[in-house]
Amino acid sequence: MEYIGLDIGTHTIRYIKENTILFDQASLLAFDTNKKTIAIGTEASQLRGTRHVRNYRRLSELYSYLDEIFNRYDSFRLFHKTTVFFTTPSTFDKKQCEKIRHHILEQGATQVIYDKELWCAAIGAKLQINTSISACMLYMGHASCDIACFSNGIIQKESHSPYGGAQILQTFHRWIQKKYNLQVSQPFIEQILFQFGQSREPILIHGTDIRTQQNRSISISQDQIGQILSRIVYTWSQWIYTFLTTLSNQQQGDLAKRGIVCCGGLMEIPQIDTILRQQLHIPFFISPNPQYTIAYGIMTILDRLKEEDEQKK
């Protein structure tokens, strides 16, 4: 039996096998004039300007993406049994996950299993979820954010926020447009955020003047970025606070001592955990390599599935 893992995100898709991430690329597709997929991931990104390129929006487009990965890595071979485990964002409902499962079975998988991102995140972060003492996991992704309280091996309570990394980028983009009349690319805005806090020096931003369409540069201070980021993070703080108020006194006490463990690509932005800590007065800890915490959890789950199958022999 071979074991394959899929971390299906709205921003990135990862293909995992034998504790290795073999494919880790943006969830982009490039289409020809007949709306047929001609490239995915990095190859699709390189076709910007010559082809229509965007993230997948429909399951049929996601299937095209996954099928290309399966073909690329010869995933389903004759006389070889394959187990596939996948996880999707909380924006996918059970009906959609079932459709994905059936599609992968049709491609040749022997069995297909799926579970919530938060479960994979908790396992990847090595969260102690099997005790009576509550533990909390916060996943901050590109399209949305999720939080859950675990104890006794189950999710006791969870909550979902539609406000994710995409909203941060949009907020910064609108602020630069309105204040400086400057059009800046999304990759450049991402670069600005990941540079935040690394020094006290102002950050130079290059873009196109909205009025004159000429190239222009501006300089913004670290304090300006910090003020905008704090306002954005405050939205999450309110959502997290509301979630915490739904917990029992015992659960709240446990989390006040143990804190909240965070993961997801957004946690790569410096000082987000510090801002959350200041606004909520609760300890926040970032898991190692936070953008890969879910992938690490999938690796652990694949190892467990393999062990279970070996024990049955």
Side-chain angles (χ1 to χ4, degrees):
M1 180 77 78
E2 295 184 343
Y3 301 86
I4 293 170
L6 292 169
D7 180 3
I8 302 173
T10 55
H11 190 248
T12 305
I13 292 180
R14 298 185 175 103
Y15 177 94
I16 302 160
K17 190 174 181 181
E18 296 178 353
N19 286 329
T20 303
I21 301 173
L22 298 178
F23 182 93
D24 179 10
Q25 297 184 22
S27 56
L28 295 171
L29 301 99
F31 303 91
D32 63 16
T33 54
N34 296 318
K35 298 183 180 180
K36 181 181 178 182
T37 301
I38 57 174
I40 64 169
T42 302
E43 294 175 1
S45 180
Q46 293 169 349
L47 293 175
R48 288 185 187 274
T50 62
R51 292 289 189 274
H52 180 50
V53 177
R54 60 169 172 77
N55 295 85
Y56 70 87
R57 295 175 183 168
R58 306 175 183 86
L59 284 184
S60 59
E61 295 170 354
L62 175 60
Y63 297 160
S64 296
Y65 196 113
L66 296 179
D67 292 350
E68 173 59 29
I69 299 177
F70 295 148
N71 291 332
R72 190 174 297 186
Y73 293 99
D74 196 17
S75 301
F76 309 121
R77 292 174 289 167
L78 196 62
F79 306 123
H80 282 76
K81 293 183 177 181
T82 307
T83 291
V84 176
F85 176 89
F86 73 87
T87 187
T88 62
S90 58
T91 49
F92 284 65
D93 58 29
K94 186 173 181 180
K95 185 177 179 180
Q96 290 172 310
C97 289
E98 279 295 313
K99 287 182 177 180
I100 296 170
R101 188 178 77 86
H102 284 297
H103 177 79
I104 298 173
L105 286 170
E106 289 172 355
Q107 301 312 299
T110 308
Q111 66 171 342
V112 181
I113 307 165
Y114 62 90
D115 212 328
K116 296 180 178 181
E117 275 185 332
L118 278 171
W119 267 113
C120 299
I123 293 170
K126 295 181 170 56
L127 209 64
Q128 295 180 347
I129 59 178
N130 292 314
T131 70
S132 59
I133 302 173
S134 298
C136 191
M137 190 80 221
L138 172 65
Y139 170 70
M140 304 184 79
H142 181 76
S144 61
C145 296
D146 300 280
I147 190 169
C149 178
F150 297 81
S151 65
N152 299 316
I154 61 173
I155 294 177
Q156 299 292 345
K157 280 200 175 181
E158 61 184 303
S159 180
H160 165 77
S161 169
Y163 200 84
Q167 284 71 29
I168 280 189
L169 297 176
Q170 290 168 9
T171 300
F172 265 89
H173 190 264
R174 288 194 298 266
W175 177 75
I176 292 171
Q177 279 186 329
K178 184 176 180 179
K179 187 172 181 63
Y180 297 102
N181 289 306
L182 198 68
Q183 184 70 33
V184 181
S185 70
Q186 179 174 312
F188 199 87
I189 293 176
E190 290 180 1
Q191 183 181 338
I192 293 168
L193 292 173
F194 289 124
Q195 286 179 355
F196 170 63
Q198 294 182 10
S199 75
R200 294 303 303 167
E201 295 297 318
I203 294 178
L204 193 63
I205 299 176
H206 306 284
T208 303
D209 190 290
I210 295 174
R211 296 196 194 111
T212 66
Q213 295 301 302
Q214 299 295 314
N215 292 334
R216 184 161 61 88
S217 298
I218 60 170
S219 178
I220 61 175
S221 69
Q222 298 282 342
D223 287 340
Q224 284 177 294
I225 298 174
Q227 289 170 8
I228 299 166
L229 194 58
S230 292
R231 290 199 295 267
I232 296 170
V233 174
Y234 182 69
T235 302
W236 285 317
S237 295
Q238 290 180 306
W239 163 62
I240 294 169
Y241 176 79
T242 300
F243 170 74
L244 294 175
T245 60
T246 66
L247 304 179
S248 68
N249 291 336
Q250 179 64 50
Q251 290 169 327
Q252 291 180 15
D254 290 343
L255 299 188
K257 295 175 184 176
R258 300 183 71 178
I260 296 174
V261 178
C262 313
C263 73
L266 276 182
M267 300 314 299
E268 299 281 355
I269 299 175
Q271 299 188 30
I272 280 193
D273 59 322
T274 302
I275 297 172
L276 285 170
R277 192 180 304 121
Q278 291 171 345
Q279 293 181 351
L280 286 167
H281 308 291
I282 293 175
F284 282 83
F285 307 99
I286 301 177
S287 63
N289 296 318
Q291 64 175 321
Y292 292 109
T293 303
I294 289 176
Y296 296 153
I298 291 174
M299 291 178 191
T300 301
I301 291 169
L302 293 177
D303 286 341
R304 291 176 181 175
L305 291 172
K306 184 177 181 180
E307 289 173 5
E308 290 174 2
D309 287 341
E310 289 176 348
Q311 290 173 0
K312 293 176 183 177
K313 294 180 181 177

